[in-house]
Amino acid sequence: MSVLDLARPDIREMQAYSSARMEASGGTVLLNANESARPPSFPGGDGLNRYPDPQPRALVETLAELYGSTPDRVLVTRGSDEAIDLLTRAFCRAGQDGIVISPPTFGMYAVCARIQGAAVVEAPLAADGSLDADTLVAAAGPSTKLVYLCSPNNPTGNLVGLGTIERIATALAGRALLVVDEAYAEFAGTPSATQLIDAHENVAVLRTLSKAWSLAGARVGTLVARAEVIGLLRRIIPPYPLPSPCVDAALAALGYEGRRVQRHHVHEVLNERARMAAALATVPGVREVLPSHANFLAVRFADPAGAYQRLLSAGVVVRDITKYPGLGDALRITIGTGNENDRVLAVLRAGASA
Ligand SMILES: *Cc1c(COP(=O)(O)O)cnc(C)c1O
């Protein structure tokens, strides 16, 4: 039994597309990929005439170290959104297989499943927003291939402990791949599920530079999983997924100075999150501020539509999450700069007294 037994047989048998850049290395006159021999003329254009490395070694090694894993267990993707799509396509046969999600949660799991023609089974979070391990495991049936667990969860901000994640992985062994989405892990400061992969071949972890590393525009995500799973996904990932300017941006962000700034930035978010949670709880019209381990707060309002409109009229855009189950009165507010957060508080306080 291998975790690959869960994957689509046709994908397992497929050969990866072999791109020109993969086939030849070491040459200095590159005439094998129909690139332009001349770089573009604008400043910073050097090297852009060449196709990028499909999985740049320096970035793979840096991300492996950052996430407590090894290079053979790392796949760098265009945002973790792409990793979700690749997992869905590699594991779920259209019209036959499916995924399990715990709503309210991140929307892309279900979107990718629907595009692939995979069924979406829901194991809702408990009324207090916590994840019940037994409910999640029980929802995984014979056709389930992927079980998603988002921690800290978007949009509620709640965290699932590593012990619980491990129990779920054990219960799903041989039945499904447990995909742990840690997009907001840096704001929680808890140990990563990547350390479970040694003992649990059915655990895969999603990470991203989009949130705590300030690089949403560069689209750099990482899947950490067993080498067999990484190898399988490399058969279906597009040949050159990572634009070279994005790779350079990621390496800069992960350098010594970049890491120093990142720690400072995350620290600022945590301080502001605590300040906003306390302040929002005293605003008339706020029913509840959900405890959050991420860089946002889910806030229940007596009049969510009114609060949304007042903020919008003042130029502040927050996320309306009232369509999520159990959050019919809630807005999700990202933690901004101190000044931006003050503006949110001022608008809500003024509106509440009007
Ligand atoms: C933002 C987010 C992502 C997507 O991140 P990208 O790397 O930018 O694609 C994945 N999962 C969750 C839960 C998110 O909130």
Side-chain angles (χ1 to χ4, degrees):
M1 174 75 206
S2 145
V3 65
L4 286 195
D5 293 343
L6 297 166
R8 283 170 53 189
D10 45 344
I11 301 287
R12 291 168 61 187
E13 276 152 33
M14 224 176 97
Q15 285 294 314
Y17 169 70
S18 180
S19 63
R21 192 59 1 107
M22 285 171 173
E23 280 169 357
S25 55
T28 50
V29 180
L30 299 178
L31 303 178
N32 65 339
N34 298 344
E35 301 148 330
S36 167
R38 307 270 183 213
S41 60
F42 55 80
D46 274 6
L48 285 182
N49 54 318
R50 298 296 175 191
Y51 280 107
D53 187 335
Q55 290 286 302
R57 191 74 202 165
L59 184 57
V60 169
E61 284 173 0
T62 302
L63 291 168
E65 174 262 321
L66 183 71
Y67 299 138
S69 189
T70 50
D72 62 324
R73 291 188 175 175
V74 161
L75 182 72
V76 192
T77 54
R78 284 172 299 183
S80 37
D81 287 339
E82 181 174 52
I84 295 167
D85 182 52
L86 294 173
L87 284 167
T88 311
R89 289 193 279 144
F91 281 85
C92 297
R93 293 167 299 177
Q96 297 181 63
D97 300 324
I99 68 164
V100 174
I101 60 172
S102 296
T105 193
F106 188 53
M108 285 307 291
Y109 315 137
V111 168
C112 291
R114 295 210 168 93
I115 292 170
Q116 172 63 11
V120 179
V121 172
E122 300 190 342
L125 297 179
D128 68 355
S130 66
L131 180 121
D132 182 63
D134 297 333
T135 305
L136 187 64
V137 171
S143 59
T144 299
K145 294 299 165 87
L146 305 174
V147 173
Y148 285 95
L149 191 163
C150 187
S151 176
N153 186 43
N154 178 5
T156 55
N158 67 294
L159 191 72
V160 182
L162 208 54
T164 304
I165 296 175
E166 182 159 31
R167 268 200 295 126
I168 295 168
T170 303
L172 293 174
R175 295 168 53 195
L177 186 70
L178 178 62
V179 184
V180 184
D181 189 340
E182 297 185 336
Y184 300 96
E186 292 89 345
F187 304 105
T190 46
S192 171
T194 57
Q195 66 186 66
L196 300 178
I197 297 173
D198 269 335
H200 301 274
E201 65 171 356
N202 64 327
V203 170
V205 179
L206 299 169
R207 301 292 301 244
T208 181
L209 300 184
S210 294
K211 311 287 162 56
W213 290 92
S214 310
L215 278 186
R219 313 301 303 127
V220 182
T222 303
L223 175 77
V224 186
R226 282 289 180 93
E228 309 91 270
V229 175
I230 301 300
L232 184 77
L233 298 191
R234 285 200 68 171
R235 293 183 199 172
I236 63 169
I237 195 170
Y240 305 107
L242 308 171
S244 26
C246 300
V247 173
D248 294 343
L251 286 170
L254 297 170
Y256 183 81
E257 176 61 11
R259 288 185 197 219
R260 196 189 61 75
V261 172
Q262 190 262 8
R263 279 193 298 273
H264 180 79
H265 190 115
V266 169
H267 188 72
E268 179 190 26
V269 170
L270 300 189
N271 285 338
E272 283 293 306
R273 184 179 75 196
R275 182 176 78 90
M276 285 298 279
L280 283 166
T282 69
V283 171
V286 168
R287 284 184 176 152
E288 188 189 2
V289 181
L290 274 65
S292 171
H293 295 268
N295 66 341
F296 55 80
L297 293 167
V299 183
R300 297 188 189 279
F301 289 89
D303 174 17
Y308 183 90
Q309 276 309 323
R310 281 196 299 280
L311 286 165
L312 192 58
S313 306
V316 180
V317 190
V318 299
R319 184 84 157 164
D320 179 348
I321 52 172
T322 55
K323 64 183 182 306
Y324 285 87
L327 296 172
D329 57 355
L331 303 177
R332 191 191 67 197
I333 306 175
T334 306
I335 303 300
T337 64
N339 285 340
E340 289 171 342
N341 300 333
D342 283 343
R343 189 142 144 204
V344 169
L345 292 173
V347 172
L348 291 176
R349 284 187 181 126
S353 59

